Amino acid sequence: MPLLPKTPPISRRTLLRGLGGSAALGALAGCGVPAAYVAPGDRAATDRSATEPRLTWANWPLYIDTDDERPSRRPTLAAFEKRSGISVEYIEEINDNDEFFGKISPSLMNHQPTDRDLIVISDWMCGRFVWLGWVQEMDRSRQPNVTAHLDPLLRSPAFDPGRRFTVPWQSGITGIAYNRRRLGRELRHVSDLWADDLKGRVTLLSGLDEAFALLMLGNGVDVTDWTADDFHRICDQVERQVARGQIRRFTGNDYIKDLSGGDVLACQAYSGDVIQLQADDPDIEFVVPEEGAELWAESLMIPNLAGHKANAERLIDHYYRPEVAAELAAWVNYVCPVPAARDVLASSGDEETAALAEDPLIFPDDAMRRRLAIARDIPAAERTEFAKRWNGIVGV
């Protein structure tokens, strides 16, 4: 059967997102509360996978394939259950990184199970969990597909060298979206956002973790090794642009409405959102600036004291089978962390599905890949200071 692409009417990233500096996170990770850290020897529970063929998985809404006729059925997940004999309780409960952190952190810091075997959160927040020792190292002997097929660009982020504790679920790019017909020209650089003909018609993302890397890249900074001076330099620049009226406002995912309605001509944007916008308006363009753009991921983790660790590891590996990754990519339309899925889509007998293999926002081409970088996350010791300054500019 051909893989039928299906883009949900509302992007998963159009839901509320955290600003990367909540009080709960600052109190724990920012201030380094020693009691919150869990040593490696205290992270594992007795694994009941062999006797209990089940697991519980917490994910974001609209972040998995569903059946057109039976929306409660998830074909790729159903295939895993049939192949493995493992039943999966799939919970769409994550709407915001900070909110979810607050929901499960009391259990984790008090050495209690979360009643979840698998969770998916943004990599910048994954870094907090890894730093606090709240997730378990995975057994790669149970994950041959992850070993073989994980995109090299995503294999070793600064917060988790070698991806010992995390595996990307989906990936994406934070770049620039603009309306080429309305603007009448191309945008190629981050600095193009400050052009006079865009005054008052530019938006930036309000979230600290979502916004800073692209702006640093515009300054020629190596975002894998940036400094506090680099951060304050972009804050100075953004403050000047606010003062001169260049920036219309700071947004969450509501930039989609501004861009599609014409109130904004250019903005910071996520690649997955733009694919959906282009379906309705082909004049919308997404650009990875010549200076580069941020490649990010939202990743799977196994929290401490999970009772079905081996089952969770098998499920993760299922999604790294190229044919499964291809089916998922055809639905969610983010950057696929399994490059081998491209050939699966390309060989589809369905023309629309095969075309997805050529979309650089799902499978970035070599030229684009050379301009992508995973930013070093914000150090815990500096997060409170950085969030205070950024949120002061944004008006939070």
Side-chain angles (χ1 to χ4, degrees), residues 95 218 227 359 371:
N95 293 300
T227 67
D359 191 329
R371 300 200 302 276

Side-chain angles (χ1 to χ4, degrees), residues 224-305:
T224 67
D225 190 30
W226 57 272
T227 67
D229 287 343
D230 295 323
F231 174 78
H232 288 296
R233 192 171 297 114
I234 65 164
C235 287
D236 292 342
Q237 293 169 345
V238 172
E239 283 178 332
R240 289 195 294 271
Q241 297 302 333
V242 170
R244 68 185 286 258
Q246 186 74 13
I247 299 171
R248 181 182 180 89
R249 67 190 186 102
F250 295 86
T251 74
N253 293 87
D254 46 340
Y255 71 80
I256 295 171
K257 179 180 66 177
D258 292 345
L259 184 62
S260 61
D263 293 331
V264 162
L265 295 181
C267 58
Q268 277 188 317
Y270 303 121
S271 55
D273 289 341
V274 174
I275 291 176
Q276 297 181 45
L277 287 172
Q278 289 171 333
D280 297 322
D281 186 351
D283 292 318
I284 300 294
E285 299 277 354
F286 183 86
V287 61
V288 171
E290 292 190 5
E291 301 87 0
E294 180 188 15
L295 179 69
W296 47 261
E298 285 165 328
S299 293
L300 297 142
M301 299 191 300
I302 300 172
N304 288 357
L305 305 182

Side-chain angles (χ1 to χ4, degrees), residues 133-381:
W134 286 0
V135 291
Q136 299 182 61
E137 184 172 356
M138 296 188 200
D139 183 350
R140 288 289 182 257
S141 69
R142 297 192 182 104
Q143 299 177 321
N145 290 311
V146 173
T147 300
H149 299 302
L150 174 57
D151 190 330
L153 287 179
L154 296 167
R155 283 184 181 268
S156 195
F159 74 90
D160 184 16
R163 287 282 184 184
R164 296 164 53 211
F165 299 95
T166 64
V167 173
W169 169 243
Q170 294 293 289
S171 185
I173 303 166
T174 301
I176 296 172
Y178 69 102
N179 190 305
R180 185 171 181 173
R181 178 179 57 82
R182 288 189 172 121
L183 183 57
R185 61 184 177 85
E186 290 186 347
L187 297 182
R188 299 174 59 188
H189 304 277
V190 176
S191 60
D192 290 341
L193 292 172
W194 317 137
D196 289 341
D197 61 347
L198 286 173
K199 186 172 183 178
R201 306 191 75 178
V202 171
T203 61
L204 299 182
L205 293 168
S206 58
L208 169 58
D209 294 271
E210 285 80 9
F212 80 92
L214 181 71
L215 301 175
M216 282 188 186
L217 285 161
N219 288 343
V221 173
D222 176 2
V223 295
T224 67
D225 190 30
W226 57 272
T227 67
D229 287 343
D230 295 323
F231 174 78
H232 288 296
R233 192 171 297 114
I234 65 164
C235 287
D236 292 342
Q237 293 169 345
V238 172
E239 283 178 332
R240 289 195 294 271
Q241 297 302 333
V242 170
R244 68 185 286 258
Q246 186 74 13
I247 299 171
R248 181 182 180 89
R249 67 190 186 102
F250 295 86
T251 74
N253 293 87
D254 46 340
Y255 71 80
I256 295 171
K257 179 180 66 177
D258 292 345
L259 184 62
S260 61
D263 293 331
V264 162
L265 295 181
C267 58
Q268 277 188 317
Y270 303 121
S271 55
D273 289 341
V274 174
I275 291 176
Q276 297 181 45
L277 287 172
Q278 289 171 333
D280 297 322
D281 186 351
D283 292 318
I284 300 294
E285 299 277 354
F286 183 86
V287 61
V288 171
E290 292 190 5
E291 301 87 0
E294 180 188 15
L295 179 69
W296 47 261
E298 285 165 328
S299 293
L300 297 142
M301 299 191 300
I302 300 172
N304 288 357
L305 305 182
H308 307 92
K309 181 175 183 284
N311 291 345
E313 289 165 338
R314 289 182 64 185
L315 175 60
I316 293 169
D317 200 57
H318 166 75
Y319 278 96
Y320 271 73
R321 295 167 65 99
E323 64 274 20
V324 177
E327 188 171 357
L328 181 62
W331 274 76
V332 300
N333 289 174
Y334 281 93
V335 174
C336 181
V338 182
R342 182 180 182 276
D343 290 339
V344 177
L345 288 172
S347 64
S348 171
D350 179 81
E351 183 177 347
E352 188 176 0
T353 299
L356 295 175
E358 304 305 319
D359 191 329
L361 300 188
I362 300 176
F363 298 99
D365 57 29
D366 290 343
M368 184 180 290
R369 289 171 69 87
R370 286 193 290 270
R371 300 200 302 276
L372 299 176
I374 298 177
R376 178 176 67 80
D377 61 334
I378 296 174

